[in-house]
Amino acid sequence: MRTERNKDGSWNVWMSREEYRALPRAAESFEREIAIRLMGDCGLRAHEVLDVKPKHISRMSDGRHYELEVIGGKDTTGEYDQGKHRETWLPIEVESLINRYIQSEGIDRDAPLVDVSKRTVQNWVEWAADEAANEMGDPDYERVSSHDLRRAWANHLLVEENVSPRIVMALGGWSTYDAIEPYLAAPTESNIIDSMREVSL
């Protein structure tokens, strides 16, 4: 885990995929786990989690994978009255988790999956991070915020999985590469070896 202190005293945290997985495991309820997974596995911002309803989930054209419509996303251009819409990738495992939750709680198609405030979602992440710090014996988890889950998602796709920046930008709602660049951590030695061992120099 890499951490970097900001001028205002807050922290930016870059987690590996394994480090991130400790957070949903530490969630104290189904609803909290779903909120964390929507940020860490789908790249949603904390306020975007609150808009997700069952009707926003749809099967993709291959009949196997799923996408999630994100409504009211952050709009830095001023072009949209009620936020920017996009579709992001919904992993099969997360769709299955959400479906079980919908069935167990009897959630209506038009009802929010996570019906709390943005601050509550942020608190859930902080509480899960504190629990993960104890379980993993790593105090750096105590610096994790909800935004670091989105950072972990973007960094994993771009650095660990080599997904095209254009695809990640579309899934995450970034309009420029400059906007996504701060989410990237420096490549690890294994990333460098994997990327360069086949290169002819």
Side-chain angles (χ1 to χ4, degrees):
M1 191 178 304
R2 185 168 80 83
T3 64
E4 178 182 275
R5 192 171 190 125
N6 298 312
K7 291 180 181 179
D8 64 1
S10 63
W11 293 88
N12 292 334
V13 179
W14 288 265
M15 292 176 282
S16 71
R17 205 67 194 148
E18 284 307 309
E19 289 166 336
Y20 155 71
R21 288 192 177 109
L23 293 168
R25 284 200 306 267
E28 294 183 359
S29 71
F30 223 164
E31 186 180 26
R32 295 184 188 191
E33 181 180 358
I34 285 170
I36 289 171
R37 297 290 297 268
L38 285 170
M39 291 180 279
D41 289 84
C42 304
L44 270 61
R45 300 172 177 91
H47 78 270
E48 293 172 341
V49 169
L50 309 180
D51 293 326
V52 176
K53 299 174 182 177
K55 68 179 181 180
H56 296 139
I57 297 170
S58 59
R59 199 180 294 268
M60 299 182 80
S61 60
D62 68 354
R64 180 169 182 266
H65 294 98
Y66 295 87
E67 65 183 1
L68 173 65
E69 181 185 6
V70 181
I71 64 169
K74 185 176 180 181
D75 172 31
T76 57
T77 67
E79 295 178 25
Y80 304 88
D81 290 336
Q82 298 181 2
K84 189 164 53 173
H85 286 225
R86 69 180 188 276
E87 282 77 36
T88 193
W89 182 263
L90 180 64
I92 293 172
E93 179 185 346
V94 180
E95 189 279 335
S96 178
L97 179 75
I98 290 172
N99 190 49
R100 291 200 309 273
Y101 179 62
I102 290 169
Q103 300 304 318
S104 69
E105 299 298 318
I107 296 174
D108 186 77
R109 175 175 166 77
D110 293 309
L113 289 178
V114 179
D115 194 11
V116 297
S117 68
K118 175 183 172 182
R119 181 64 250 179
T120 297
V121 169
Q122 293 168 330
N123 285 338
W124 288 350
V125 173
E126 292 168 12
W127 296 335
D130 287 344
E131 183 64 27
N134 292 329
E135 289 182 7
M136 306 298 287
D138 186 348
D140 280 344
Y141 276 104
E142 296 173 3
R143 297 172 175 169
V144 172
S145 70
S146 59
H147 201 68
D148 294 315
L149 304 186
R150 179 169 160 87
R151 187 189 321 280
W153 172 81
N155 188 69
H156 172 69
L157 293 180
L158 289 163
V159 178
E160 304 295 332
E161 298 293 344
N162 294 313
V163 176
S164 163
R166 288 187 178 274
I167 291 176
V168 179
M169 286 166 60
L171 296 177
W174 289 284
S175 55
T176 67
Y177 185 79
D178 287 346
I180 202 173
E181 195 277 334
Y183 289 80
L184 301 179
T188 63
E189 184 179 84
S190 62
N191 297 144
I192 294 170
I193 292 171
D194 289 344
S195 296
M196 298 302 293
R197 64 184 168 192
E198 303 299 331
V199 174
S200 178
L201 289 176

Coordinates of all heavy atoms in Angstrom, one line a residue, residues 94 116 120:
V94 N -20.4 -9.1 -8.5 CA -21.1 -8.0 -7.8 C -22.6 -8.0 -8.2 O -23.4 -7.8 -7.3 CB -20.4 -6.7 -8.1 CG1 -21.1 -5.5 -7.4 CG2 -19.0 -6.7 -7.7
V116 N -29.1 5.8 2.3 CA -28.6 6.5 3.4 C -28.0 7.8 2.8 O -28.1 8.1 1.6 CB -27.5 5.7 4.1 CG1 -28.1 4.5 4.8 CG2 -26.3 5.3 3.2
T120 N -22.9 8.9 5.5 CA -23.0 7.6 6.0 C -22.2 6.6 5.2 O -21.4 5.7 5.8 CB -24.4 7.1 6.1 OG1 -25.1 8.0 7.0 CG2 -24.6 5.7 6.6

